[in-house]
Amino acid sequence: MTLKLRNYKASLVTLAAIAVLAISLTFTVWRLLHVEQDSPHGDRYSNLWEISQTQFEASALAETLARAAKGETFSAPEQTPAFRTAILIRRLSFLLEGDQSEVIARVGGLETLRKAHRQLTEAEPLLENAVDPQAAAGLGMLAHDLASELRGIANKVMLLNHEERAERHSLYLRYVLESFAYIIGIAISTAFLIARLFRGVQETTQARQLLKQEQELSDLVINNISDQGIVMFDAQLRCLLWNPGMEDLLNIKPDQAVGQHMRELDPIFAQEDVIGSLLRATEGMSSVFEHEAVSPDGHDRCLEINCFPVSMAERKLGIAFMRDVTEQWLARKQAERQNFDLEIKVLQRTAALRQAERRLIAAIKSASEGFAAFDWTGKLLFANEQIWAAAPVSLWCQDEMTLSDFLQGFAMCEGADARLVNAQPPFEEIELDLLVSKDTWARLSLTKADGATIFVRLTDISGYKQVAKALESALDRERETTSAYRNFVSMVSHQFRTPLAILDSSAQRILRRGTDLTQDELVTRVQKIRNAGTRLTRLVESVLNAAKLDAGTIEVNPASYNLVDLVMDICERQREVSARAEIRFDVPDVPVRVFCDGMLIEQVVVNLLSNAIKYSGEKPFVEIKIWMEGSRAFCSVRDWGIGIPADELPKIFDRFYRARTASGIAGTGIGLNFAQRIMHLHGGEIQVESDEAAGSLFTFDLPIASADQTQQAA
């Protein structure tokens, strides 16, 4: 491994040296090309000469225009302003083209020269004839300014020339140093590669010598191993090596074995499983197996064969090591026979114990109770089917449940306590009655039989609980019967008060007046007594109907009634009892025929009207309204009394329920419940709207009677 790592590092160093050599050569060539590319393509001094000549022409034009402005004449044509202007324009055109324009642009004077060139080009036609002194003076100033600008540009170009020369000198110096460094790298890399080449030649020679020595040593070792046979073979299973150990084991000499097929050497190698192991060794897979056979002297023997893959000179070979393990094999067989006898005895003892265990388990399984056993840590030892069938166990516990899991599964049952939730070792004894599922009760008992085993019993006590529940149900029915009797008495007191009050009032009036009563008054009072008696009779029937309503056997006898007459008649009777109450009507002029049981609806109206008066204070004011919508007739009773709190409106029709605003006012809380149930029998319902301290509005609806129903009633 160390040798491979060393060779790997040497290869990496050699590759690095080659890479350094290639990079150095590449950069050296690249720098030489850059030196050629960075050589100046233009002559800055010629540019400076052109700028100076243009400056001279601008100064000459300025002088010529100054003379023209003074009115002087020119003897030679080349002294005229037009000639000098044309020369200056050509000079400027030359400066604005090619390399000169790039240099001038770098020093920032290109736009000024372009502007001057454009102005001179525009003024050139004006100079062909006689020049106006004023125009000559203006152009002279332009030429003078242009000469000054060209002087500044020439100075900047000269400075730029000096800067570029210094920069090129520095760049050339850097290129020289870099090239020198690359040349040094090339020299070092070349020297290193030459050294590696010589060293590689030496290492190759040494490796050949070492390989030869190792080959000789391996042959010596293989040939001198007498207690173990070694055979090497190729992928075609031809023998390549046969050591003396193989000769001792199989009595075959090496010169007889080498070059022969393995099948032809010995019957051992003719067996398919042995051939398969040899082939797998040439494919890179190792195997170890034992071969039992008979030795040449007729005794049983066992040979151990180890097959391994070998790679040599890129050839896939195999090698097999064979040794005689007969003594170990015989000893192992003897031990196996002894172990077999011991296992027979253990199995016999185990069978006896298991038979006893099965009898115990059968007895537990046949029991009607659930039974489970846990060790002191809570690990499950045994549980019968009754335990697993219990609802909490089947829902929440798994096969590997612990005692804590088992008890916590019952923690949500009715009757459980904190001991089931917090059950942890060491567990305490428990006995609880639990509702494990609907109508199924079980008694859970946890006892410790000894210091290591905990027993759990689950007994079905549903029968006992059902008897107790039946007794409790009978007691509840008795209580309900008593409550119903009290409700009946309260209802009779509530409903019979009005007709009895009318009877008493009329009788007292007759007794007080005596003979002073006129015939008409007497007839009126007697008629009221008769009406109250009739009302009382109806109330008796109503009470019976209420009882039937509670029992679910009430009969509804609907007929056609005028709802207006029915309600107004009830209000007249109510005035006999509550003379202080003011009742206002909002009813249609035409009859409102409804199809209902008049006696039952009368009880509904009486209840709503009496409640409106009772809960309206000292001066009650009640408004009754009747109207029709579609196929239904509606009647509402409105008061401006104490009202009902908004959060209590959904409960106001419950039996015996009274709002908190009715505290201190006599009542039983059964009237509205009875009225609502009567309306349900008629297919209608009482609706309520109320605001606390602002009054209430009760509305009920009835079906409008058809023509056939009205005629039948008539």
Side-chain angles (χ1 to χ4, degrees), residues 286-535:
S286 302
S287 61
V288 179
F289 59 94
E290 291 181 349
H291 178 75
E292 300 176 6
V294 179
S295 64
D297 55 2
H299 295 89
D300 292 338
R301 74 172 180 177
C302 180
L303 299 176
E304 183 185 71
I305 303 174
N306 294 270
C307 299
F308 300 97
V310 177
S311 179
M312 185 178 296
E314 298 183 357
R315 294 178 64 191
K316 292 182 179 180
L317 307 177
I319 187 170
F321 298 89
M322 183 181 296
R323 66 189 183 96
D324 192 344
V325 292
T326 303
E327 293 182 2
Q328 297 91 328
W329 174 65
L330 293 174
R332 188 170 65 248
K333 292 188 69 175
Q334 180 66 25
E336 289 177 355
R337 283 194 296 269
Q338 293 177 354
N339 289 336
F340 180 76
D341 295 338
L342 182 61
E343 288 178 359
I344 292 297
K345 294 180 181 180
V346 171
L347 289 175
Q348 291 174 351
R349 298 286 181 87
T350 304
L353 292 175
R354 287 182 177 176
Q355 186 176 5
E357 181 182 358
R358 282 195 296 270
R359 287 197 296 267
L360 177 60
I361 292 175
I364 294 174
K365 287 184 176 181
S366 62
S368 60
E369 299 179 350
F371 179 83
F374 299 85
D375 64 10
W376 68 274
T377 63
K379 182 180 179 181
L380 178 64
L381 302 177
F382 174 77
N384 64 357
E385 294 182 359
Q386 287 75 12
I387 285 289
W388 292 110
V393 178
S394 62
L395 289 175
W396 304 108
C397 298
Q398 299 178 354
D399 294 340
E400 299 179 357
M401 71 173 176
T402 62
L403 182 54
S404 298
D405 299 335
F406 176 81
L407 296 178
Q408 289 173 5
F410 289 89
M412 294 181 290
C413 297
E414 182 180 340
D417 57 22
R419 291 179 295 175
L420 301 183
V421 179
N422 303 322
Q424 294 294 334
F427 299 95
E428 58 179 307
E429 295 190 352
I430 298 174
E431 186 169 358
L432 293 171
D433 292 344
L434 305 173
L435 180 63
V436 296
S437 63
K438 184 179 180 182
D439 299 331
T440 302
W441 285 84
R443 176 164 295 170
L444 176 64
S445 301
L446 187 149
T447 57
K448 298 180 180 179
D450 50 40
T453 307
I454 301 173
F455 294 100
V456 175
R457 291 177 59 191
L458 196 64
T459 307
D460 189 353
I461 59 172
S462 301
Y464 304 105
K465 287 292 183 179
Q466 289 173 359
V467 172
K469 187 175 181 181
L471 292 175
E472 185 178 357
S473 178
L475 181 59
D476 290 340
R477 285 196 299 271
E478 179 65 22
R479 291 172 181 170
E480 290 177 359
T481 303
T482 303
S483 177
Y485 174 75
R486 291 175 181 173
N487 295 339
F488 174 76
V489 173
S490 298
M491 183 180 65
V492 169
S493 174
H494 181 79
Q495 297 293 337
F496 279 49
R497 188 177 295 116
T498 299
L500 289 176
I502 294 174
L503 288 173
D504 183 63
S505 174
S506 298
Q508 288 183 15
R509 181 66 64 87
I510 293 173
L511 288 175
R512 285 198 303 270
R513 298 286 300 276
T515 57
D516 295 337
L517 285 173
T518 63
Q519 185 66 26
D520 293 337
E521 286 181 309
L522 182 61
V523 171
T524 302
R525 293 298 172 183
V526 171
Q527 185 63 40
K528 288 184 178 182
I529 291 174
R530 291 190 63 192
N531 291 340
T534 303
R535 171 63 177 160

Side-chain angles (χ1 to χ4, degrees), residues 12-37:
L12 288 180
V13 173
T14 304
L15 290 175
I18 295 173
V20 170
L21 177 61
I23 293 172
S24 300
L25 289 173
T26 302
F27 272 89
T28 302
V29 175
W30 181 66
R31 280 306 185 198
L32 292 175
L33 292 176
H34 265 269
V35 170
E36 173 63 22
Q37 292 176 358

Side-chain angles (χ1 to χ4, degrees), residues 80-198:
T80 60
F83 182 81
R84 305 311 303 180
T85 300
I87 295 297
L88 180 57
I89 289 174
R90 285 194 296 271
R91 290 288 185 183
L92 286 175
S93 299
F94 184 77
L95 289 179
L96 295 176
E97 297 174 356
D99 295 339
Q100 295 83 355
S101 62
E102 295 179 2
V103 175
I104 295 172
R106 290 181 62 185
V107 300
L110 187 61
E111 291 298 327
T112 303
L113 296 183
R114 286 178 177 174
K115 182 178 179 181
H117 179 269
R118 184 173 58 254
Q119 291 176 347
L120 291 173
T121 303
E122 293 174 353
E124 185 178 11
L126 301 177
L127 300 176
E128 295 295 335
N129 300 320
V131 182
D132 182 46
Q134 187 175 0
L139 289 175
M141 290 298 296
L142 175 62
H144 184 270
D145 293 341
L146 179 60
S148 299
E149 181 67 24
L150 289 171
R151 187 183 304 110
I153 291 173
N155 293 332
K156 292 178 181 179
V157 170
M158 184 173 63
L159 292 175
L160 179 62
N161 187 23
H162 287 298
E163 291 175 359
E164 288 183 348
R165 287 180 62 190
E167 184 178 355
R168 284 196 301 274
H169 178 74
S170 176
L171 183 62
Y172 292 157
L173 181 60
R174 190 182 71 182
Y175 286 169
V176 169
L177 293 176
E178 289 180 356
S179 300
F180 183 72
Y182 293 144
I183 291 172
I184 292 175
I186 292 171
I188 293 174
S189 301
T190 304
F192 178 79
L193 291 175
I194 293 173
R196 287 299 303 166
L197 179 61
F198 282 109

Side-chain angles (χ1 to χ4, degrees), residues 46 59 64 222 307-308 355-356:
S46 62
S59 300
T64 302
I222 291 174
C307 299
F308 300 97
Q355 186 176 5

Side-chain angles (χ1 to χ4, degrees), residues 67 72-80:
R67 292 172 58 190
E72 296 182 8
T73 58
F74 301 95
S75 58
E78 60 272 10
Q79 296 179 354
T80 60

